[in-house]
């Protein structure tokens, strides 16, 4: 800057004003430590965007990533930190767990920000119900993931002379052809939460949305141990023959990578898988196809990611939490984040330009399922029930899938007993 003594007051204020602004900004700068499990390629890109948008507003982000798809490890770490009186400022907490943490007195209210920004007007009541405890906002929703998707590599289908399936019968026909051609029909990671995710898709198709809700939301014991559940379990078990031998312990994104590379034909997984295709530069409709999991075209099993905020002591940090919450629901963030993450915006007033065909299809499916009563919460991702019941069901499902001793009827009875015990 060129200094001229004659510039007098004008010059001084030009010099001092930015310093003052800096001082004010510094006084208001807070830090938010964010616990999440977004560590795969697509997930990490998405989390980085939120960090960047927060930091642009003068606050700092302390990353607390705990690897492990589905978030079970992250939740274990969170409990340890909270019990020792040192919870992070924000944590990825979902579904019923939000109310549990709120009832224990851990969570800060987001009501001021929510009222100022009209959250009630831009969010669906299906979503706000999950984010509120006792009528108060204690969490901010980030996105809507659809869990019942099938991801397919069309080149593999062409090689095997198979057609991308819409029903379970078609799935079996296609999988047999792909296997006969010496290729892997189904990419899967043998981790309990992935077994549960796969079973959820089969159960949704076999039970239909009404009985799905009776079993996994209302915990109707007769449906849990009934004939349709037994059939769902049989179908589920029959998928094992289409999975390669090395699946034990495999992470979900490695399984997605098998479809991307053409080592496998399909994966049944929520649309966070699309984040992996996107991170690999793949184009839907061309390099890969997204269709509803077999037999679930009219259903939408939803999984909403959300951040809950823990009570903090300093005003600056509290302020930074509110800024983070407000950033998450800003249209700019909703668009950029969800394009990377594979989900759709949680705001109802967003136009879908810039989103790919899978996201446009997902939004259409969400709206029509909402209107037709076929929108159901994902139990395997913590939206339908408590984490105790989710955990108990996951154990039964995963053990049944991986051993050869239990019959489908025995597994169904075990599910009913496990739910009863955890209620
Ligand atoms: C889900 C979560 C998604 C995705 C997935 C795999 O539970 O809602 O955002 O990250 O786990 O890690």
């Amino acid at each position: 800057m060129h200094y001229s003594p004659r510039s007098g007051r004008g010059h001084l204020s030009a010099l001092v004003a930015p310093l003052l602004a800096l001082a004010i900004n510094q006084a208001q700068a807070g830090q938010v430590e964010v616990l999440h499990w977004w560590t795969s390629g697509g997930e990490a890109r998405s989390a980085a965007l939120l960090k960047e948008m927060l930091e642009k507003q003068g606050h700092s982000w302390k990353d607390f990533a705990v690897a492990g798809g589905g978030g079970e490890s992250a939740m274990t770490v969170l409990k340890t930190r909270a019990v020792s009186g040192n919870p992070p400022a924000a944590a990825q907490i979902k579904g019923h767990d939000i109310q549990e943490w709120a009832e224990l007195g851990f969570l800060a209210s987001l009501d001021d920000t929510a009222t100022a920004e009209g959250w009630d007007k831009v969010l669906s009541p299906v979503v706000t119900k999950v984010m509120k405890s006792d009528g108060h906002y204690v969490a901010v929703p980030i996105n809507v993931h659809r869990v019942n998707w099938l991801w397919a590599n069309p080149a593999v289908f062409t090689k095997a002379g198979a057609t991308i399936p819409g029903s379970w019968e078609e799935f079996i026909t296609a999988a047999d052809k792909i296997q006969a051609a010496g290729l892997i029909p189904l990419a899967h990671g043998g981790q309990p939460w992935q077994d549960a995710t796969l079973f959820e898709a089969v159960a949704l198709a076999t039970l239909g949305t009404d009985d799905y809700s009776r079993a996994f939301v209302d915990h109707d014991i007769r449906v849990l141990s009934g004939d349709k559940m037994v059939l769902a379990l049989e179908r589920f078990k029959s998928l094992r023959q289409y999975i390669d031998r090395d699946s034990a312990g495999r992470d979900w994104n490695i399984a997605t990578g098998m479809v991307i590379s053409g080592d496998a034909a399909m994966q049944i997984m929520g649309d966070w898988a699309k984040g992996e295709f996107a991170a690999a530069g793949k184009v839907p409709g061309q390099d890969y196809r997204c269709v509803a999991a077999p037999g679930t075209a009219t259903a939408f099993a939803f999984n909403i990611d959300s951040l809950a905020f823990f009570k903090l002591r300093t005003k600056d940090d509290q302020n930074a939490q509110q800024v983070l919450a407000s950033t998450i629901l800003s249209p700019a963030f909703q668009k950029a984040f969800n394009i990377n993450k594979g989900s759709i915006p949680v705001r109802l007033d967003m136009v879908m330009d810039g989103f790919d065909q899978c996201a446009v299809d997902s939004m259409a499916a969400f709206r029509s399922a909402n209107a037709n009563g076929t929108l159901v919460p994902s139990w395997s991702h913590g939206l339908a029930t408590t984490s105790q019941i989710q955990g108990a069901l996951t154990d039964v499902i995963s053990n049944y899938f991986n051993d050869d001793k239990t019959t489908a009827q025995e597994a169904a009875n075990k599910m009913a007993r496990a739910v009863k015990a955890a209620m």
Side-chain angles (χ1 to χ4, degrees), residues 37-38 43 69-70 94 145 193 252 272 303 305 341 381:
W37 62 88
W38 289 337
E43 290 176 333
K94 298 197 298 190
H145 273 301
W193 76 270
W252 67 272
W272 44 93
N303 170 23
D305 284 313
K341 187 73 171 63
H381 289 271

Side-chain angles (χ1 to χ4, degrees), residues 50-346:
L50 184 55
K51 173 177 192 267
E52 195 187 305
M53 284 180 83
L54 179 75
E55 287 179 346
K56 271 203 185 127
Q57 297 170 83
H59 300 289
S60 62
W61 166 291
K62 191 171 171 201
D63 202 47
F64 186 4
V66 180
E72 207 186 325
S73 312
M75 288 305 101
T76 307
V77 174
L78 177 63
K79 279 176 206 149
T80 315
R81 280 277 303 263
V83 165
S84 65
N86 181 29
Q92 198 184 340
I93 301 177
K94 298 197 298 190
H96 287 241
D97 282 359
I98 295 172
Q99 270 84 43
E100 283 188 20
W101 283 101
E103 277 156 25
L104 290 170
F106 277 105
L107 302 185
S109 167
L110 299 172
D111 281 348
D112 289 349
T113 306
T115 309
E117 300 185 354
W119 291 4
D120 278 345
K121 281 186 231 108
V122 294
L123 299 172
S124 149
V126 175
V127 176
T128 56
K129 197 175 134 210
V130 183
M131 302 302 138
K132 288 182 186 178
S133 169
D134 223 2
H136 301 286
Y137 275 102
V138 290
V140 57
I142 305 174
N143 58 2
V144 180
H145 273 301
R146 187 186 196 188
V147 182
N148 53 312
W149 278 114
L150 178 135
W151 307 92
N153 184 322
V156 180
F157 276 83
T158 308
K159 243 189 248 167
T163 312
I164 295 173
S167 66
W168 278 109
E169 290 72 24
E170 286 170 17
F171 179 92
I172 302 298
T173 308
D176 284 340
K177 277 194 182 162
I178 293 161
Q179 200 154 46
L183 301 157
I184 301 170
L186 190 61
H188 182 68
Q191 295 173 343
W193 76 270
Q194 292 186 66
D195 295 339
T197 304
L198 183 59
F199 175 67
E200 178 174 300
V202 183
L204 189 56
T206 312
L207 297 170
T209 49
D210 286 348
D211 273 348
Y212 172 97
S213 297
R214 280 186 198 109
F216 299 112
V217 181
D218 308 335
H219 305 315
D220 182 328
I221 300 300
R222 276 169 315 175
V223 180
L224 277 163
S225 55
D227 291 350
K228 281 196 202 167
M229 192 64 80
V230 173
L231 176 60
L233 286 159
E234 280 165 359
R235 277 185 175 167
F236 173 53
K237 189 65 158 269
S238 75
L239 300 180
R240 245 186 50 183
Q241 59 186 308
Y242 302 120
I243 297 169
D244 66 300
R245 285 189 186 176
D246 302 325
S247 69
R250 177 189 286 143
D251 286 326
W252 67 272
N253 52 313
I254 305 295
T256 310
M258 292 165 66
V259 181
I260 294 176
S261 66
D263 288 340
M266 302 174 266
Q267 182 184 22
I268 290 175
M269 184 50 70
D271 45 18
W272 44 93
K274 201 187 74 190
E276 301 307 296
F277 284 97
K282 302 295 178 191
V283 180
Q286 189 180 306
D287 305 313
Y288 68 98
R289 293 272 310 276
C290 55
V291 294
T296 68
T298 55
F300 191 117
F302 68 90
N303 170 23
I304 302 167
D305 284 313
S306 42
L307 283 188
F309 295 86
F310 284 79
K311 287 179 181 158
L312 298 179
R313 283 195 199 91
T314 78
K315 273 259 162 298
D316 293 347
D317 290 348
Q318 290 167 2
N319 178 33
Q321 282 180 320
Q322 302 292 326
V323 171
L324 184 62
S326 141
T327 305
I328 287 171
L329 277 182
S330 67
F333 173 79
Q334 284 290 310
K335 181 168 180 180
F337 177 89
N338 285 304
I339 285 175
N340 283 337
K341 187 73 171 63
S343 35
I344 53 172
V346 69

